[in-house]
Amino acid sequence: MRLSEKFSQLGSEGAFIAYLCAGDPTYEKSLEAVESVIQAGADVIELGLPFSDPIADGPTIQKASQRALSSGMNTRRYFEFAAQVHGLADIPLVCMTYYNLLLRWGLRRFVESCVESGITALIIPDLPYEEACELEALCRKNQVDLIYIVAETTDEERLDEILSRAGGFLYVVSVLGTTGARKNISPTLKKLLEKLKAETQIPLAVGFGVSTPQHVSDILCLGADAVIVGSGLIDQYQKKRGGLFEYAKSLKQATYKP
Amino acid sequence: MKKKYGVYGGQYAPEILMPALKQLEADYSRLCGDEGFRDKLNSMLTDYAGRPTPLYFAENLSPSLGFDLFLKREDLLHSGAHKINNTLGQVLVAKQTGRKRVIAETGAGQHGVATAIAAAKLGLECEVYMGAKDVKRQSLNVFRMELMGAHVKSVESGSKTLKDAINEALRHWLSNAKDTFYCMGSVVGPHPYPAIVRDFQSVIGFEIKKQVKEKKGRLPDAIVACVGGGSNALGAFNEFLGEDVRLVGVEAAGEGVDTGKHCATLCTGSDGVLHGMYTKLLQDSFGQINPSHSISAGLDYPGVGPQLSHLSSINRIEAVSAGDSECMDAVKMLAESEGILPALESAHALAYVIKNKNEFKDKLVVVNLSGRGDKDVQTIADYFGVDL
């Protein structure tokens, strides 16, 4: 499913985007985790393809990536995994990974493999728009959304350029830094969301540091259309396998606007 | 400024860092043309760091090699290695653009030490990221950095070496790009770092050219330098790129380029993106970065500067390699014949010309002796089975 379809289905309800790293800690257990998050009500699955050197990720996703790679996850198995997830439910599937893995697989082949396995969007955190032309053209041709990231450091000139290219949703980084659960929502997020809402119709998804139902409802109240939770889910799964479903459910419940 | 070298280079950085990289490019370009900045840097290089460094004719070693061997004595610089050419430049940029704090990554510890020195001298806070494995094998340098007031952060992720130290420094920079200056240690990373570091290190080749002309009245036939990330090599080569001079980059073959335990990236690597640049990498068939190995921590890196990848791909430089044991033999030979203890990194360059002395017969050869070996004494003792 394309992201646009999901967002129009949801209407005023916020979208819960759940990130999990494929193959963490093993192929089978990871598939169970994804299934349980979908059952708990995740609207979109962001599926990480682990990379050995994830510079945009904090300790939780770094460790998850290491576990997944140690258990044999690679690009080939990733697409098999994604296809299986696709078979579980008809919801948008987003691939998040680093550019080197696309280059190595072949850009065209990578986008085609996404289409074949049911992935409809891509997030590549180390690919700014300056370097993205070739991938962007391939994505457009294959109807895959290339998702761009914005932060409070993104100036007007860059923002205009990003808004003219962005597909799917805009990934709004709530705090400057890497992925990972944090205690509080950044006080500057409100201003950033207001600015973005005034300039674009594209859905705004807030990620980095989101980990509690309170965060979720606060962020949606500030005007976001979606929240992305990754490290929080992985931390929970590490702590108590069985707790994942309840935790994910509590996050989804917080997306129902009062 | 030029962003790419052929297909290599570029700016594969997270969006959060893009404004900081653009700012750095603007600041650097402005300061390059600023007389006050250049005067200050030159006076620090002369009076503080000890430039120019001698070009020394290895008169004892040369006859047995069958060619004239000159050593560019970067090992005599304050801090003990060429790294300080770059850190004085970058930390001065940081200072003059109002930053209070610099961060750096380090492998062998030489860049960390050189950054700590520059930060102490210019009155900035300094934090150095170093792989846990390197913290252990270069404990002397860790203490040196701490003596100069720097905080050393041991990096426990990944392979716990230079590659992971860069990852962690970049991650830290993501959170602090507004007030923190990232002082990159080699000709690697996203644009404009490879260009900035090359420019600051080009003083090496500039001096070689002048000195060798004074001594021999001509250009050298070959310049040989070790390559990890490649800053001492590119610094030595840059002035000669347009000249008819053989330029040889010696990578670390570790236990052998066919054993998988090496870091001969130019010799055996393939194209990809790591640490913000498109360059040659050691990677598996899926693009995961392979662990590298060398007895010298400073060469232990699975990537290489993008300009060197380009120069190698167009055959302007020759990429070759020397292994752990050849390096150790070269250390001994130079120490015994000339009374100079080279860094293990630099000893790789020396090892190559010793091993291949016949291809340099009767030539005028300059080896860039990029650092001194004091920091490596423990490693050398361990290698030869000596209990200190």
Side-chain angles (χ1 to χ4, degrees):
Chain A
M1 185 189 278
R2 293 292 293 271
L3 284 160
S4 54
E5 196 182 330
K6 175 52 87 177
F7 278 106
S8 65
Q9 261 179 22
L10 286 170
S12 67
E13 182 185 321
F16 166 37
I17 302 174
Y19 169 94
L20 285 166
C21 177
D24 168 35
T26 64
Y27 190 103
E28 288 72 24
K29 284 180 180 150
S30 171
L31 197 60
E32 280 168 26
V34 174
E35 189 169 8
S36 124
V37 167
I38 292 173
Q39 279 167 359
D43 298 300
V44 175
I45 294 293
E46 185 189 332
L47 198 56
L49 164 58
F51 179 48
S52 53
D53 296 80
I55 52 168
D57 285 304
T60 299
I61 295 180
Q62 283 173 45
K63 284 185 195 132
S65 302
Q66 277 305 323
R67 286 191 296 266
L69 289 172
S70 307
S71 75
M73 182 47 70
N74 59 39
T75 310
R76 187 169 36 76
R77 298 190 76 197
Y78 174 83
F79 285 119
E80 291 164 14
F81 188 94
Q84 272 189 279
V85 172
H86 180 58
L88 293 174
D90 189 22
I91 59 172
L93 201 51
V94 180
C95 167
M96 139 72 202
T97 193
Y98 289 81
Y99 195 47
N100 197 46
L101 301 191
L102 280 79
L103 284 173
R104 201 66 181 157
W105 191 253
L107 292 186
R108 177 185 302 274
R109 184 178 170 213
F110 197 95
V111 175
E112 287 169 0
S113 297
C114 283
V115 173
E116 282 161 22
S117 56
I119 291 166
T120 56
L122 274 169
I123 303 172
I124 316 293
D126 60 347
L127 191 69
Y129 63 77
E130 284 92 336
E131 310 285 0
C133 289
E134 197 181 343
L135 182 63
E136 212 176 275
L138 287 166
C139 282
R140 202 174 305 119
K141 196 176 142 211
N142 289 280
Q143 297 187 305
V144 170
D145 293 317
L146 185 57
I147 290 165
Y148 283 95
I149 295 170
V150 295
E152 58 169 281
T153 49
T154 309
D155 59 26
E156 285 303 321
E157 193 190 328
R158 297 193 65 76
L159 185 59
D160 287 348
E161 192 65 39
I162 289 169
L163 290 178
S164 74
R165 294 158 174 259
F169 59 77
L170 208 55
Y171 195 130
V172 184
V173 170
S174 68
V175 283
L176 295 180
T178 54
T179 59
R182 286 159 177 90
K183 248 193 180 137
N184 300 309
I185 297 298
S186 160
T188 53
L189 181 62
K190 183 167 187 260
K191 239 175 84 184
L192 180 59
L193 286 172
E194 278 168 2
K195 182 170 112 174
L196 293 171
K197 277 196 98 65
E199 294 195 35
T200 183
Q201 297 291 316
I202 190 169
L204 305 177
V206 174
F208 286 34
V210 187
S211 65
T212 68
Q214 191 64 47
H215 288 161
V216 172
S217 56
D218 288 352
I219 288 168
L220 294 174
C221 276
L222 293 177
D225 304 288
V227 288
I228 305 166
V229 183
S231 298
L233 289 170
I234 295 167
D235 286 339
Q236 184 65 39
Y237 186 67
Q238 283 294 307
K239 238 188 294 172
K240 192 172 143 230
R241 209 137 281 180
L244 187 64
F245 175 81
E246 287 303 324
Y247 173 66
K249 198 170 157 194
S250 71
L251 294 171
K252 177 55 203 168
Q253 274 167 350
T255 67
Y256 301 121
K257 286 181 183 171
Chain B
M1 286 173 82
K2 210 165 107 177
K3 235 170 121 170
K4 293 211 171 168
Y5 311 94
V7 296
Y8 299 103
Q11 221 162 18
Y12 298 86
E15 181 58 35
I16 300 180
L17 288 183
M18 293 303 285
L21 291 169
K22 305 257 170 205
Q23 187 63 48
L24 174 62
E25 184 173 353
D27 289 341
Y28 174 71
S29 301
R30 178 175 55 80
L31 288 171
C32 274
D34 181 283
E35 212 171 308
F37 176 85
R38 289 204 311 261
D39 288 349
K40 173 78 183 164
L41 179 57
N42 286 336
S43 93
M44 283 198 298
L45 288 173
T46 308
D47 301 329
Y48 184 70
R51 298 216 74 90
T53 58
L55 185 72
Y56 167 73
F57 175 56
E59 56 184 342
N60 298 331
L61 199 49
S62 289
S64 64
L65 292 173
F67 58 85
D68 282 354
L69 174 66
F70 283 83
L71 301 173
K72 180 58 175 166
R73 299 292 308 274
E74 294 297 291
D75 61 313
L76 292 178
L77 280 171
H78 177 42
S79 82
H82 72 292
K83 294 288 185 186
I84 197 165
N85 301 327
N86 168 47
T87 61
L88 286 174
Q90 282 196 53
V91 178
L92 189 60
V93 171
K95 171 112 175 163
Q96 299 215 344
T97 52
R99 310 300 164 82
K100 302 270 180 280
R101 188 162 174 274
V102 295
I103 56 168
E105 82 294 340
T106 198
Q110 289 307 103
H111 174 59
V113 168
T115 308
I117 286 173
K121 156 97 186 123
L122 291 165
L124 273 69
E125 257 178 71
C126 177
E127 197 165 275
V128 179
Y129 291 80
M130 189 169 184
K133 189 174 154 194
D134 293 333
V135 166
K136 218 177 194 175
R137 58 180 166 175
Q138 301 286 345
S139 56
L140 191 67
N141 269 344
V142 174
F143 188 57
R144 282 172 79 196
M145 288 183 259
E146 287 168 347
L147 278 175
M148 278 167 295
H151 298 283
V152 179
K153 295 247 181 179
S154 177
V155 175
E156 298 286 347
S157 59
S159 61
K160 301 176 190 178
T161 60
L162 178 57
K163 145 182 111 72
D164 310 282
I166 297 179
N167 288 340
E168 212 48 45
L170 283 169
R171 288 182 189 119
H172 181 85
W173 201 34
L174 279 167
S175 315
N176 301 279
K178 279 184 191 161
D179 61 353
T180 297
F181 187 96
Y182 184 4
C183 182
M184 184 72 79
S186 191
V187 286
V188 300
H191 173 76
Y193 280 111
I196 291 178
V197 179
R198 175 204 60 211
D199 290 355
F200 285 138
Q201 291 294 0
S202 293
V203 65
I204 302 172
F206 182 80
E207 288 177 10
I208 291 175
K209 200 175 210 177
K210 187 162 171 269
Q211 291 165 322
V212 85
K213 272 187 178 165
E214 279 165 11
K215 284 180 198 290
K216 306 297 283 187
R218 66 179 185 103
L219 291 177
D221 296 304
I223 299 177
V224 184
C226 65
V227 176
S231 73
N232 93 81
L234 197 51
F237 296 164
N238 195 46
E239 277 294 315
F240 296 92
L241 291 178
E243 311 276 7
D244 185 22
V245 175
R246 246 185 102 178
L247 304 173
V248 183
V250 186
E251 299 189 302
E255 295 177 13
V257 285
D258 47 5
T259 62
K261 291 189 164 180
H262 64 86
C263 31
T265 315
L266 290 171
C267 293
T268 69
S270 51
D271 295 349
V273 166
L274 178 70
H275 296 148
M277 58 181 165
Y278 185 75
T279 193
K280 293 270 182 214
L281 302 173
L282 299 180
Q283 57 184 328
D284 70 11
S285 58
F286 293 106
Q288 306 292 347
I289 305 306
N290 282 338
S292 53
H293 164 82
S294 169
I295 197 156
S296 78
L299 300 182
D300 200 345
Y301 181 57
V304 65
Q307 191 174 1
L308 289 169
S309 288
H310 171 63
L311 292 169
S312 168
S313 74
I314 60 167
N315 296 317
R316 177 59 194 97
I317 65 167
E318 292 165 50
V320 297
S321 65
D324 289 350
S325 64
E326 292 160 334
C327 156
M328 285 300 179
D329 292 345
V331 167
K332 267 192 108 163
M333 190 183 267
L334 189 67
E336 286 168 6
S337 63
E338 300 285 350
I340 296 170
L341 183 62
L344 295 183
E345 290 76 13
S346 326
H348 282 75
L350 205 61
Y352 182 80
V353 299
I354 293 170
K355 183 175 63 171
N356 300 283
K357 58 184 180 184
N358 292 335
E359 61 176 86
F360 297 101
K361 194 164 169 38
D362 298 329
K363 302 284 189 199
L364 204 175
V365 178
V366 177
V367 165
N368 191 22
L369 207 68
S370 55
R372 72 179 83 129
D374 305 33
K375 68 181 172 61
D376 297 315
V377 169
Q378 185 66 55
T379 309
I380 298 167
D382 289 347
Y383 183 84
F384 289 113
V386 179
D387 222 0
L388 295 182

